[in-house]
Amino acid sequence: RNTMEEDTLLELLRTLSATAEEGAVLGTSNETNSSKLAASDEAMSNPEGQMCLSKAEEKALNRDAALDRLLQSLEDRTLRDVELSLEVMLAILNALQTTWSRSVRSEEDRIHKFIAGALDLPEFCANDELQAAGMQLAPPLLLDEMFLRLGRPLQEDSRPMPDAPGSSQSKRAQSVSIGAAGAPDLPVPAKVSREPPGPDQTLEIGAVRALLYWLYNGVPATRRVLRQRIGHAALQNGCGTKAPPPGLCALLEVLAAIIGGLGGGVGGGVGGGADPGAG
């Protein structure tokens, strides 16, 4: 059967770790069609621009090919041939951070799928080398972005139109709680019932949750910081009158697992022993 070498995996991940400026010149950002055409026309007006444009298009194609190849390695299980080393894990984290900085939805969806799937593999449990790396695997900027994304409100494009016939939002507007006498009392709070996140946000939350589980369960040096960050984020996102963000559920799941000793992981693939200091 086909196999994957560590060098091949690193090459794919490093393709994704190229800076945003190197890969997002044309067709990969949220520019309008007119601005893309303007940039294209301007670039094509001189030889240097033509060369830069060609390189940008090539890099964008390379990123798409790399992401597709990573997902294919999950599907055909060839990723399990690679031993998870510190170099590989750092390359995965760099690819994730660079993809986030580019803000290209199709790329984010694929890197989220890859990370959630990879960290669920038994071969990707943290070994002695990774455990010794400690906070090198959980730098402040990465943690900031992870908790920022878990605190995002429900994505606008995943909500139904408020006046849509049969939408749960219109039903909530008409819902009331029934008092002791059977008469309408007070409107049901909006936060009691809420639309689930859309598929993109669901993938994002799943990837961040998987990474939190993996770090806490496999790299003991990160546990104290993660307990503090998770507890603070859960408290911050759970208070107030607005509906909590969809990521709060993931935070509470991880927090409950920590309190219980974190004996399992995402899908059972990120297992490990209890943390004596979790309480």
Side-chain angles (χ1 to χ4, degrees):
R1 67 181 180 86
N2 294 330
T3 60
M4 172 171 279
E5 302 290 338
E6 179 176 332
D7 289 345
T8 302
L9 177 59
L10 286 171
E11 181 180 354
L12 294 173
L13 293 169
R14 286 166 181 160
T15 298
L16 300 178
S17 298
T19 62
E21 291 76 13
E22 289 176 334
V25 175
L26 188 70
T28 56
S29 67
N30 292 325
E31 295 175 307
T32 62
N33 290 333
S34 59
S35 62
K36 290 179 186 177
L37 291 173
S40 177
D41 291 340
E42 183 179 354
M44 293 299 291
S45 64
N46 61 83
E48 291 184 0
Q50 293 176 14
M51 183 177 298
C52 291
L53 192 60
S54 176
K55 289 182 178 180
E57 291 173 331
E58 181 181 356
K59 289 179 182 295
L61 291 174
N62 288 342
R63 290 183 63 84
D64 278 338
L67 286 163
D68 290 342
R69 179 76 183 279
L70 288 174
L71 289 181
Q72 183 62 39
S73 72
L74 275 176
E75 184 177 339
D76 59 23
R77 315 299 282 179
T78 55
L79 186 63
R80 302 184 70 169
D81 298 328
V82 179
E83 181 179 355
L84 184 60
S85 63
L86 177 59
E87 186 177 10
V88 168
M89 192 62 200
L90 289 175
I92 290 174
L93 298 179
N94 286 337
L96 175 63
Q97 288 179 277
T98 304
T99 303
W100 279 347
S101 73
R102 289 168 52 81
S103 300
V104 181
R105 183 63 59 84
S106 62
E107 292 184 5
E108 290 186 356
D109 285 352
R110 284 177 286 176
I111 196 68
H112 293 155
K113 286 181 183 178
F114 173 75
I115 286 177
L119 297 185
D120 198 38
L121 296 175
E123 291 83 0
F124 270 52
C125 290
N127 53 32
D128 292 343
E129 180 189 21
L130 291 161
Q131 292 175 13
M135 291 303 296
Q136 186 180 356
L137 293 168
L141 289 179
L142 173 62
L143 294 181
D144 288 346
E145 187 66 23
M146 289 168 63
F147 286 103
L148 176 67
R149 288 173 179 265
L150 288 178
R152 283 180 172 178
L154 188 68
Q155 291 179 355
E156 292 291 339
D157 58 0
S158 69
R159 294 192 181 107
M161 294 298 291
D163 298 327
S167 72
S168 58
Q169 287 191 4
S170 62
K171 292 177 182 178
R172 281 203 306 268
Q174 301 169 6
S175 298
V176 293
S177 60
I178 304 302
D185 193 358
L186 296 175
V188 174
K191 63 191 297 184
V192 171
S193 177
R194 181 174 48 80
E195 294 296 325
D200 300 319
Q201 194 170 19
T202 298
L203 287 173
E204 179 177 84
I205 292 171
V208 175
R209 177 178 54 197
L211 186 52
L212 284 175
Y213 269 113
W214 187 90
L215 285 170
Y216 192 93
N217 207 38
V219 189
T222 66
R223 292 177 180 175
R224 181 180 61 84
V225 171
L226 288 179
R227 282 198 299 269
Q228 293 174 348
R229 299 286 303 254
I230 292 170
H232 175 74
L235 181 62
Q236 185 179 46
N237 291 317
C239 295
T241 57
K242 295 183 178 180
L248 177 61
C249 182
L251 286 170
L252 295 177
E253 288 175 5
V254 179
L255 191 58
I258 290 173
I259 294 172
L262 196 53
V266 181
V270 191
D275 171 24

